[in-house]
Amino acid sequence: YDTSSGTCSQISDWMGGDVREFGCDAFLCPPGTWAPQGRLMSYDETCESCGDDFTLWGRTECNGSMSNAQREREILLNFYNVMGGRNWKVDDGWLELDQEICEWYGIGCDSTTGRVNSIILRNNGLSGTIPTDLFDLPFLQILNLESNDITFDFAPVSNANRLKS
């Protein structure tokens, strides 16, 4: 993503040419918008406005009644986008819409509930400021982002009640 021009022209061949066809929206719909798959996949779709100020990328709906799995997916997709996911050393599964988030590289889930309980992306090329909504993952116990070029706002860490030190 070229922040100066707001385009993805340098990577137009990505995602089977979808980026060439649909621009950056082929990756994820931008904040404040949604599409059924969270991104553009055909000319019949657009990233529709939600009329809110949520900062999540790749939303699949606008209302507040999304499932736990959808909310966790949106938090993680936002994390991926904000932390330069396309430049990570390994990002297996992160943009695969047909793959469960528990199968994404570095994500661990509780075997009983299926909820995200660990994120281990040590020395994986992450960069930027951790989005505060990451700490809204209610079952997050382990967060290992060691040896990455990241910054934190520690205030929202108190939301992660199960996070272990």
Side-chain angles (χ1 to χ4, degrees):
Y1 181 74
D2 181 353
T3 55
S4 63
S5 67
T7 67
C8 295
S9 60
Q10 298 289 336
I11 54 172
S12 63
D13 59 334
W14 281 34
M15 300 183 75
D18 282 356
V19 174
R20 182 181 317 100
E21 296 295 320
F22 309 117
C24 297
D25 292 349
F27 285 112
L28 297 171
C29 289
T33 65
W34 75 281
Q37 298 297 317
R39 68 183 188 96
L40 295 189
M41 299 176 66
S42 77
Y43 288 110
D44 297 330
E45 299 175 342
T46 60
C47 290
E48 299 287 338
S49 175
C50 288
D52 59 35
D53 59 357
F54 287 173
T55 59
L56 298 174
W57 289 74
R59 290 169 64 181
T60 57
E61 58 184 38
C62 289
N63 64 33
S65 64
M66 69 178 71
S67 71
N68 292 329
Q70 288 172 313
R71 176 71 178 135
E72 288 185 343
R73 178 180 288 270
E74 288 196 359
I75 289 171
L76 292 172
L77 286 173
N78 184 51
F79 173 76
Y80 178 89
N81 184 64
V82 170
M83 303 307 296
R86 69 180 181 91
N87 296 316
W88 293 355
K89 293 177 184 176
V90 183
D91 69 345
D92 296 348
W94 278 79
L95 293 180
E96 301 299 324
L97 296 174
D98 60 342
Q99 203 165 47
E100 297 296 322
I101 58 176
C102 299
E103 298 172 12
W104 295 358
Y105 177 80
I107 301 300
C109 295
D110 180 271
S111 60
T112 305
T113 65
R115 305 290 297 275
V116 174
N117 65 5
S118 68
I119 300 173
I120 302 173
L121 293 168
R122 183 181 185 280
N123 190 28
N124 199 39
L126 283 70
S127 64
T129 302
I130 304 295
T132 57
D133 65 349
L134 187 69
F135 301 107
D136 292 338
L137 293 168
F139 292 89
L140 186 63
Q141 295 177 6
I142 299 167
L143 179 62
N144 185 344
L145 304 176
E146 180 183 353
S147 300
N148 287 291
D149 184 22
I150 60 173
T151 56
F152 266 88
D153 175 3
F154 284 97
V157 172
S158 63
N159 293 344
N161 299 337
R162 298 174 192 228
L163 194 61
K164 299 176 184 177
S165 58

